[in-house]
Every structure is written in C-alpha cells, then in structure tokens.
C-alpha cells in the first residue's frame, strides 16, 4: 500500500495527528510506571546536632499539705477560702470539741483537788513527825529515870513502844504525801493531754501556703486522715513530665528545658530538669522527671495543667547527618539511597542520635559530600529510573 | 495500489478527526473505569505495603484492624518479640475519623505509630516532603490527599498536631488518606472518652455507694483514675527475621500467645475478598457495560460512515474497483479511527485521572490490552460495514 503524496489537504490532518501522537508518547513516558521516579537530593554535611527530648506532663506542687483532724469528728468552722494565701501557724479551721472542754474543766478541778490532797498529806506528815520527836524525847527521859531507879522497866518499855508507833506513823504520812504528789502529776498530765487534744482540733497552716481546695464544710463529719483543706507551697511548683524511654538515655538533672503550658502554647517558660525519677513507668514505657521553673511564671499556672517539655541535651561535635526522611529499611537493613551515575544504590548506614528537626547522625556508611535521595515521589528500587528535581511537583511548599 | 482509505480520510478529514475524538472520549471513560478498578485493588495492596509488616497480630477471632475492630493490650508485643523468628514488633492503631484544619474537615484514617524511626513497622514508607515524626506527641505525617501542608496545625479530637511530613499514596482500603501520629496520642484519640462522658461517668461513680464508700477516702479517686485509663491498641505489626518462615512464626504466635495472626496472603484475601469485593464487582460490571456500549458505538459509527459514502462506493464499483480494495479502505479507516480514539482516550484518561476523587491506576498492561480490544472491535465493526459496502449495486451510482 502506498500512502498518498503529501498534499496541502493533508497538512491539517497531520497538524492534528502529529501533536496527538507526541502527546500520547509524552504521557506514556512521564506518567504511570514507565515514568522515572522524581527525587530530590540532599548532600551529606557535617554539623552540630543538639538532640532534644520531648515529653508531656502535668503541673504539680512539690509540697502538698492535706490538713484534717487526727481522729473522727465534726467540722466546727473553716476559716479560709480556696485561693487564699495563708501564713505559717494561721488558723485554717477547727473541729467540734464536743465534750472536750468539760473534760478539761473536770481535769482542772481534779488537779486542784490533788493539790489540796498534797497539802493534807504534808500536814499529816508534820503531825506524825512532831509525834515521833516527842516520843523519842520521852524514851530518852524515861531511860535516864530508869538509871536513877525512879521509873519502872515497864514504863520505859511503854515509851519505847510509843516511839516506834510514832516512827511508823511518820513513814505512813510520808508515803501518803508521795502518793498525793504522784496523783497530782497524773492529774496534771491528763489535763495537759486533754489541752493538747483540744489544741489539736485547731487546724493550723504548717507553712506559708496557698489554699487549693476546701474539702469539708462546717457540720460535716470526718474520719481520721480526711482533709478539711488542702494547701500547697506555692513557691515550689514543678512539671511532672513523662519522656518516651526510646532515646531518653541522656536525660539528667540540671539539663535546660523549655516548658510550654497548654493554656499559653506560644509562651515558652525557662526551666531545668530538677530530678530524674529513679523508677520509670513500666506500663507506659516512659521515664519520669521533674522539671522546675526558673523563674516561676507569674501569674501562677494552674495545678494539673498539661505542659509540653522540651529538654535540650548536650550538643554533639560536628558530625555527618542526613534528614530522617532519607532513611529507609530494606531487607532488615537501615540505609539511604545514594545516587551513583544517576542510578539509585541502597547504602546501609549506622545511625546515631537524632534531633528534634529530624537530623540523624550517621556513624558509618556515608561521608560528607555524598548525594543521597531526600524525598521520592514513589518507593525506590535498585532498578528505578530516577529524575532529580529541585522540588517534587504537586507537593505544597 | 493507491490507498483509498487515505484519500477518503483526506477528503473528509474533519469528520474523521471529530469522530475519532468522540470515540476517544468514550474509550477514555472505559479506560478510567478500568483504572478505578485497578486503583481499588491497589489501595488495598498499598495499605499492606505501607504497614511494612509480614504478620498482623489481632484480637482473637477477628479479621484484623482493617476489616473488623480489634483490641489488644499494648504490652503484648513484648511477649511476641521474644518468639523465635520475630525481628520487630510494633503496636499500631487505626481509626477513620474527621481531622480538622482551621474551618475545614477531612475524613482520614488516623494511624498511631510508635515513633521508632524510619522503616519501623507502621511508619510511612517514604516521604515526599518534610520529615518523620521525632517527638512522642503532637506531630503528624499526613498524606498529600488530605490537602494539609507542612507546618499546618491539624486538630484530632482535643489536641493540635503539627504536620511535619507529607506522604503520597498512603491510603486506607477505602481510599481515605492516612494521617500518622504518635501511638500514645492515637490511643488517647481512639480510646479516651470525651470530657462530657468523663464528667458523666464521674457523677455516676460518685452516686454509687459501693464505689464512693463513706469513711474510705482514696477509694473514689482510685476508681475514677481507673475509669479514664485505656491501654489498648488495634494490632501488633510483626516483621519476621530474614530467612524465617512467616507461616511458622504465625503458628508460634497463635499457639503460645493465643491470638489471631494473619499473614500477608491472608490479609490480602481479607481486603480483596471481603472489604472491596462488592465495590470492585460493581466497578467491573460498569466496565463490562461500558466496553459493550463502546463496541456498539464504534460499530455504529463505522457503519454510518460507510453508509454516508455509499454512492461513492457504487461509483468505485462501477469503474471496476475490486472488492478487496473497497474492504481494505473501510478496514483501514476503522483501524485508523480506533488508533486515534485509543490515543485520545489514553490522553484524556491520563489527564483527568488525577482529578478523580478515587485513585485511578492506569497500568501499561491494561492500556496494551485496551488497544488490542479496540482494534479487534474496530475490525469486527468494520465487517458489518464492509458487508454493506460490498452488497451495493453499482447501478446506484447512476440511478441513485
């Protein structure tokens, strides 16, 4: 078959067919599986990497005091409201003493009675001592009379017996006095115990503090250990932060930290790691640390508020790095696609630490100046045709 | 022999070109439909590829995270890691939900992944922009199809996440784009109750004397704390060690951990046979109907074109042109139309494919098969026209 000679009439048809064929070919080669994979490259450079750790936590008070009665009772009055600042020793509330005041009065009376008992015992002692002295003197006189044969042996014996009786009477009186003194001590101690108990019903602030909750109102009955008010040391707030155990080995006390509170996400507060808890959370697989503010924000942040914490670890000396987007795992090996003669080749690498911006330290496998694939439009393989572009089309920049 | 077909086409090239264009658009629709079918199958496969897993460990007697809801304790993976043949195991959660950005919302599949670095099971396979998640909280890698940009803040439940990376073709089996976020945030988004529910639950607990016991402070707090904690995940993605047999490892996990395990082949079967089977069958039915309609229309067009020049054919016969020449003219014109139509159709399908809300995958193999089918249809369609042309009485050229 012979095609008709190219005439003027054929031009419009060719004008349609040629662009159509060209478009068809172009689309076949640029879209679909036949098209080369578009990639962007990055060059391995050496730079300082500052690894960071990111954690979240809640704001807590370092010292919390839950103030309540030491035994069951009814709340008589509560003197403070939530949000008030109190001084050390200030009265916060009081428990109902019930019959305690009457018992104190009874103990006072008992104490006075014991004092009177001492007086009586002392008088009895004096009386017995006087009797004994007289009886002793009588014995001496009758013994002299016996020598002079003016008194009988019987009367002397009688005086001696009287003297012994007087001595025994004195001893009994002295024992009575000691007993009365011990009784006074007992009654006094009981009185003091009741007074202490009475004072214990007064709920006092242990330190300068901020009242954060008022858990019972007058009239409520509480058991021992239940709180009437809760106060905190408002100068000592910290963030109880949790860090994923993965890569958190460098977490240590004293590292600088940045704290951002949920209520003010854009405001960054300075702080530092106060301490790293010796015990990690086994269930959530997180390390726990306390982040202290330096200085404390004003106004005071709210307890229990969520906080984001970024801890800056010590910067590493300049080291080769690649963005983490360039790393891929292939057949169990971690590596990057390096471009060699415009063909991708998978190069296994050993990674080190990474920072928050996704820069990963490369310990081995790459050297400074190597060109590696940063992003690709589809997964790469060893036989992929690639085309390097400055930025992937269709990706919003 | 002079090409009658060429001469005839040149004679009325406008008609020919426009017919080819119309036919091409029809073929384009058919190719697109085939592309949609392929796209659905590809979506399912991509989902499995993206997970980077060889085995899916899920709740007992469930079909796994994609086809059925599954809930596992999040510390089970440690036991699985100790089994021989297991190289890596990572928790993962999947939840299709609305993701907000400013005033607009997008439906997306939120994937909670352990931020263990690139290449870990569950992590996005490759990025087209930005970086992988580095923080344990509040960062997201989104698929391009979500329309989110790098640096944007997106809202998932009550938290805001920064978009730090973009992927391409990370989609669920239903075609919803994926948004990868750290696992702990995803667990919270999926399992933690909303604030109203928590407040209501608190009130109910307070009113329950068995839980709010008088004289036992601390019990209530403990009960409330236990109500707001959930440590579940949807599945554990397992990658077997090089050289290990996935079926054997799956058998070990089933036997000793008493969990259901799906291998890649089983998961593919679940996705293909159970999840997308109905939609795929519908698309396939449309494809068949469209193919039949296209074939019929090609036949009509060629038949009409032939009938349009019946007088000229009669003249040709009258001057003694052989039947073979006339038949070749019609056949070549039909094949030419088919070729133009196919090219226009392929171009049209390639150009409008990205605009479709569904993923359209145009495979070169499909295009080749389509070309072959178009050509066969054209040949068959031209047979009717040829038969009509050959039966023309040369006298019509004069008598007409």
């Amino acid at each position: 078959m012979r095609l008709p000679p190219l005439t003027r009439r054929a031009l419009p048809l060719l004008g349609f067919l040629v662009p159509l064929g060209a478009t068809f070919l172009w689309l076949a080669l640029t879209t679909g599986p036949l098209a080369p994979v578009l990639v962007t490259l990055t060059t391995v450079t050496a730079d300082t990497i500052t690894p960071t750790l990111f954690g979240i936590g809640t704001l807590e008070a370092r010292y919390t005091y839950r103030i309540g009665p030491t035994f069951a009772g009814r709340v008589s009055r509560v003197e403070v409201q939530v949000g008030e600042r109190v001084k050390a020793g200030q009265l916060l509330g009081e428990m109902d003493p019930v019959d305690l005041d009457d018992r104190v009065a009874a103990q006072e009376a008992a104490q006075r009675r014991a004092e009177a008992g001492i007086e009586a015992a002392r008088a009895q002692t004096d009386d017995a001592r006087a009797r004994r002295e007289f009886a002793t003197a009588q014995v001496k006189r009758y013994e002299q009379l016996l020598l002079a044969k003016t008194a009988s042996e019987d009367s002397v014996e009688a005086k001696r017996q009287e003297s012994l009786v007087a001595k025994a009477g004195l001893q009994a009186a002295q024992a009575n006095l000691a007993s009365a003194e011990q009784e006074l001590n007992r009654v006094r101690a009981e009185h003091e115990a009741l007074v202490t108990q009475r004072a214990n019903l007064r709920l006092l602030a242990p330190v300068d503090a901020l009242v954060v909750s008022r858990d019972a109102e007058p009239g409520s009955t509480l058991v021992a250990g239940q709180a009437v008010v809760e106060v905190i040391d408002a100068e000592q707030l910290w963030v109880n932060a949790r860090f994923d155990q993965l890569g958190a080995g460098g977490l240590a006390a004293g590292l600088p930290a940045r704290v951002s509170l949920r209520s003010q996400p854009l405001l960054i507060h300075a702080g530092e790691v106060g301490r790293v808890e010796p015990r990690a959370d086994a269930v959530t697989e997180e390390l726990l640390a306390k982040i202290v503010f330096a200085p404390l924000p004003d106004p005071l942040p709210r307890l229990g508020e969520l906080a984001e914490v970024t801890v800056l670890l010590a910067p590493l000396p300049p080291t080769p790095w690649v963005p983490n987007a360039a790393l891929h795992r292939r057949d169990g090996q971690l590596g990057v696609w390096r471009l060699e003669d415009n063909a991708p080749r998978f190069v296994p690498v050993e990674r080190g630490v990474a920072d928050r911006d996704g820069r990963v330290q490369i310990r081995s496998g790459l050297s400074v100046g190597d060109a590696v694939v940063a992003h690709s439009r589809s997964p790469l393989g060893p036989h992929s045709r690639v085309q390097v572009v400055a930025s992937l089309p269709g990706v919003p920049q | 022999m002079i090409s009658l077909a060429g001469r005839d086409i040149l004679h009325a090239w406008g008609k020919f070109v426009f017919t080819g264009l119309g036919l091409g658009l029809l073929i384009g629709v058919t190719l697109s439909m085939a592309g949609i079918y392929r796209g659905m199958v590809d979506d399912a496969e991509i989902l499995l590829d993206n997970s980077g897993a060889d085995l899916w460990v899920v709740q007992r007697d469930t079909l796994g995270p994609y086809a059925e809801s599954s809930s596992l304790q999040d510390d089970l993976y440690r036991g699985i890691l100790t089994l021989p043949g297991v190289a890596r195991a990572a928790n993962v959660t999947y939840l299709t939900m609305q993701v907000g950005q400013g005033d607009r919302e997008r439906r997306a599949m939120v994937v909670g992944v352990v931020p263990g670095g690139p290449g870990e099971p569950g992590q996005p396979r490759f990025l087209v922009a930005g970086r992988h998640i580095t923080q344990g909280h509040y960062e997201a890698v989104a698929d391009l199809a979500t329309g989110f940009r790098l640096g944007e803040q997106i809202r998932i439940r009550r938290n805001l996440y920064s978009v730090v990376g973009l992927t391409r073709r990370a989609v669920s089996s239903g075609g919803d784009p994926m948004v990868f976020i750290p696992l702990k945030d995803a667990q919270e988004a999926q399992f933690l109750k909303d604030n109203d529910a928590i407040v209501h639950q608190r009130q109910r607990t307070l009113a329950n004397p068995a839980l709010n016991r008088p004289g036992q402070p601390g019990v209530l707090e403990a009960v409330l704390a236990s109500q707001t904690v959930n440590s579940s995940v949807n599945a554990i993605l397992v990658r077997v060690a090089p050289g290990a047999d996935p079926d054997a490892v799956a058998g070990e996990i089933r036997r000793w951990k008493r969990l259901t395990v799906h291998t890649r082949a089983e998961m593919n079967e679940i996705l293909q046979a159970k999840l997308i089977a109905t939609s795929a069958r519908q698309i396939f039915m449309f494809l068949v109907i469209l193919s039949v309609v296209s074939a019929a229309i090609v036949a009509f067009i060629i038949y009409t074109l032939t009938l349009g020049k019946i007088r000229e054919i009669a003249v040709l016969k009258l001057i003694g042109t052989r039947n073979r020449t006339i038949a070749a003219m019609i056949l070549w014109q039909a094949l030419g139309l088919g070729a133009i139509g196919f090219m226009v159709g392929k171009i049209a399908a390639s150009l409008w494919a990205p605009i479709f809300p569904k993923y359209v995958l145009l495979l070169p193999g499909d295009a080749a098969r389509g070309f072959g089918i178009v050509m066969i249809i054209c040949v068959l369609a031209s047979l009717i026209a040829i038969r009509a042309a050959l039966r023309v009485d040369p006298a019509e050229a004069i008598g007409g």
Side-chain angles (χ1 to χ4, degrees):
Chain A
M1 194 176 73
R2 195 155 51 82
L3 287 175
L6 198 60
T7 61
R8 188 175 281 186
R9 291 189 78 172
L11 286 178
L13 185 63
L14 284 178
F16 170 76
L17 287 180
V18 171
L20 183 73
T23 313
F24 179 78
L25 267 179
W26 177 74
L27 277 175
L29 293 176
T30 55
T31 63
L34 297 179
V37 180
L38 300 183
V39 297
T40 60
L41 290 186
T42 180
T43 310
V44 180
T45 53
D47 208 348
T48 302
I49 291 180
T50 306
T52 56
L53 292 175
F54 180 78
I56 58 171
T58 46
L59 199 74
E60 291 177 1
R62 183 170 193 165
Y63 299 110
T64 302
Y65 306 88
R66 294 166 59 80
I67 297 164
T70 50
F71 52 87
R74 186 180 295 125
V75 180
S76 163
R77 58 193 173 123
V78 183
E79 293 288 320
V80 289
Q81 296 294 337
V82 171
E84 275 181 35
R85 289 204 180 243
V86 293
K87 293 277 175 200
Q90 184 178 331
L91 181 71
L92 305 175
E94 194 168 7
M95 300 300 291
D96 186 357
V98 198
D99 61 346
L100 212 54
D101 285 340
D102 299 333
R103 283 165 60 194
V104 168
Q107 284 297 328
E108 279 172 357
Q111 191 180 336
R112 282 195 292 274
R113 187 180 146 205
E115 284 166 358
I118 285 179
E119 287 300 313
R122 200 168 280 142
Q124 281 174 354
T125 310
D126 290 347
D127 178 47
R129 189 175 288 121
R131 283 175 194 280
R132 183 174 173 265
E133 283 169 2
F134 177 70
T136 309
Q138 282 290 80
V139 169
K140 273 187 186 165
R141 197 162 63 235
Y142 272 81
E143 280 176 346
Q144 285 172 355
L145 288 175
L146 181 65
L147 288 176
K149 306 287 189 191
T150 56
S152 68
E153 189 75 21
D154 281 351
S155 57
V156 173
E157 279 301 316
K159 292 301 172 190
R160 280 181 183 149
Q161 195 258 343
E162 278 176 17
S163 168
L164 287 175
V165 169
K167 188 183 176 186
L170 176 61
Q171 281 175 343
Q174 281 173 335
N176 274 342
L177 176 61
S179 166
E181 280 171 351
Q182 291 306 318
E183 175 68 10
L184 176 63
N185 283 344
R186 185 186 69 80
V187 172
R188 193 176 279 156
E190 278 189 359
H191 177 253
E192 278 171 10
L194 273 181
V195 169
T196 309
Q197 272 190 24
R198 177 70 183 81
N200 199 30
L201 295 180
R202 292 161 57 80
L203 307 173
L204 304 177
V207 289
D208 291 356
L210 174 73
V211 181
V212 291
S213 79
R214 178 172 152 134
D215 299 326
E217 293 302 318
S220 330
T221 307
L222 305 182
V223 295
Q226 229 173 324
V228 176
V229 290
E230 191 174 314
V231 299
I232 58 156
D233 185 346
E235 302 304 315
Q236 308 250 14
L237 297 186
W238 61 19
V239 177
N240 185 16
R242 299 177 282 123
F243 297 88
D244 202 323
Q245 289 177 9
L246 204 74
L251 189 64
L255 288 171
R258 290 187 302 222
V259 181
S260 142
L261 297 167
R262 183 163 178 128
S263 58
Q264 303 160 314
L266 300 178
L267 197 63
I268 304 292
H269 300 283
E272 65 171 44
V273 180
R275 76 166 185 244
V276 180
E277 297 292 333
R279 185 176 291 171
D281 191 326
V283 177
T284 61
E285 298 179 7
E286 288 171 318
L287 296 186
L288 306 172
K290 301 288 190 284
I291 313 297
V292 292
F293 289 101
L296 202 61
D298 185 34
L300 213 58
R302 308 296 191 261
L303 296 183
E305 184 173 345
L306 196 69
E308 295 176 17
V309 179
T310 308
V311 176
L312 310 168
L313 302 180
L316 301 175
T319 170
W321 66 273
V322 294
N324 64 9
L327 289 171
H328 299 273
R329 195 172 284 280
R330 192 175 164 79
D331 298 332
Q333 276 189 315
L334 193 71
V336 297
W337 290 102
R338 194 165 72 190
L339 217 57
E340 292 176 358
D341 301 329
N342 217 27
R345 192 168 77 85
F346 190 75
V347 183
V349 297
E350 192 189 341
R351 62 169 288 178
V353 294
D355 71 0
R356 194 181 165 180
D357 299 324
R359 304 195 301 175
V360 181
Q361 180 192 17
I362 298 296
R363 290 206 171 120
S364 67
L366 286 177
S367 46
V368 174
D370 284 348
V372 298
V373 174
H375 299 121
S376 61
R377 198 168 151 77
S378 50
L380 286 172
H383 305 297
S384 301
R385 278 200 308 131
V386 297
Q387 184 186 339
V388 179
V389 291
S391 65
L392 297 178
V395 177
Q397 298 296 324
Chain B
M1 188 179 72
I2 296 168
S3 168
L4 275 178
R7 286 197 176 275
D8 189 47
I9 290 170
L10 282 182
H11 180 70
W13 68 270
K15 197 183 200 178
F16 187 77
V17 162
F18 283 112
T19 311
L21 276 176
L23 186 64
L25 293 177
L26 195 63
I27 292 171
V29 173
T30 315
L31 285 176
S32 304
M33 210 48 114
I36 290 174
Y37 173 73
R38 291 283 184 200
M40 288 183 73
V41 176
D42 192 60
D43 278 351
E45 282 182 3
I46 276 279
L47 178 63
L48 302 186
D49 284 345
N50 275 333
S51 69
D54 298 316
L55 301 173
W56 284 259
V57 181
V58 295
Q59 188 181 337
R60 281 198 87 183
D61 303 327
T62 64
L63 288 179
Y66 310 125
E68 258 183 351
S69 68
S70 151
S71 180
L72 293 171
Q73 287 299 313
D74 64 359
D75 52 358
L76 279 175
Y77 81 97
R78 292 183 202 152
I80 290 170
L81 267 177
T82 62
L83 291 175
V86 174
R88 283 165 195 282
N91 288 325
V92 71
T93 67
Y94 294 98
L95 179 65
T96 302
M97 61 192 298
Q98 296 295 111
V99 178
Q101 198 283 313
D103 295 334
R104 67 199 164 100
E105 287 208 326
R106 275 303 308 248
R107 188 157 188 79
M109 182 186 244
V110 174
V111 187
V113 293
V114 180
E120 294 297 314
Q123 293 279 348
R125 259 201 311 171
F126 67 101
L127 297 183
V128 292
R131 60 172 172 85
H132 288 281
I133 296 168
T134 56
Q135 296 184 3
H137 295 279
Y138 310 137
E139 283 190 342
V141 170
D143 189 76
L144 270 181
T146 55
F148 301 143
R149 288 161 174 265
L150 280 184
E152 274 185 343
Q153 296 273 310
I154 59 173
R155 195 181 63 257
I156 297 171
R157 287 277 164 89
R158 65 172 86 159
N159 289 324
L160 287 176
Y161 297 79
S162 309
V163 178
V164 296
L166 293 174
T167 60
R168 190 173 158 268
R169 291 288 296 133
V171 291
S172 73
S173 60
D176 293 321
M178 283 180 173
V179 175
F180 299 84
I181 61 173
L183 180 75
K184 288 193 172 64
D185 293 341
Q187 279 178 300
E188 194 181 304
Q190 183 168 3
F191 298 111
L192 193 68
K193 296 168 185 158
D194 64 276
N195 285 354
D196 287 347
I198 291 172
V199 170
H200 291 154
Q201 183 70 49
R202 260 187 214 158
Q203 286 168 348
R204 281 194 194 95
T205 311
L206 279 170
N208 186 343
L211 302 176
N212 187 11
R213 310 186 75 164
Q216 294 196 352
V219 174
L220 181 68
E221 282 86 346
V223 171
L224 288 177
S226 71
Q227 284 172 346
T228 48
V229 171
N230 198 315
S231 52
S232 297
V233 293
N234 292 135
I236 300 168
L237 303 177
V238 174
R239 189 177 292 157
V240 300
D245 177 22
D247 288 318
V249 178
E252 289 281 303
I253 299 173
R254 281 190 203 108
R255 181 176 176 197
W256 296 113
K257 299 294 168 190
R258 306 191 54 74
L259 295 164
T260 293
V261 186
H262 297 297
T263 59
R264 166 103 196 191
E266 289 165 352
M267 213 64 198
N268 209 9
E269 171 70 15
I270 288 170
L271 286 174
Q272 306 262 353
K274 297 191 167 67
L275 267 191
I276 63 166
T278 314
S279 320
R281 224 174 288 141
Q282 283 174 352
I283 298 278
F284 190 72
M285 199 185 76
F286 275 119
L287 181 62
V288 171
I289 293 172
L290 260 177
S291 305
V292 171
V293 170
S294 304
I297 289 177
V298 171
F300 287 146
I301 288 173
I302 292 169
Y303 187 67
T304 318
L305 279 177
T306 310
L307 288 190
K309 48 185 177 260
I310 206 79
R311 186 182 292 267
E312 290 81 347
I313 290 170
V315 172
L316 283 172
K317 282 189 135 185
L318 193 65
I319 60 172
T321 313
R322 282 182 298 179
N323 279 352
R324 211 177 66 180
T325 313
I326 295 170
M329 176 188 82
I330 297 170
L331 183 66
W332 278 114
Q333 283 190 2
L335 291 178
L337 262 184
I340 291 178
F342 176 78
M343 281 199 281
V344 171
K346 182 76 176 72
I347 291 169
S350 301
L351 290 180
W352 69 43
I355 307 167
F356 268 74
K358 271 278 197 197
Y359 178 60
V360 181
L361 177 63
L362 301 168
L363 291 175
D366 283 351
R369 270 189 290 278
F371 182 71
I373 291 170
V374 167
M375 287 298 132
I376 292 169
I377 289 172
C378 287
V379 170
L380 293 176
S382 65
L383 290 180
I384 307 163
I386 288 167
R387 186 167 169 271
L390 296 185
R391 289 176 65 179
V392 171
D393 185 0
E396 276 187 36
I398 313 161

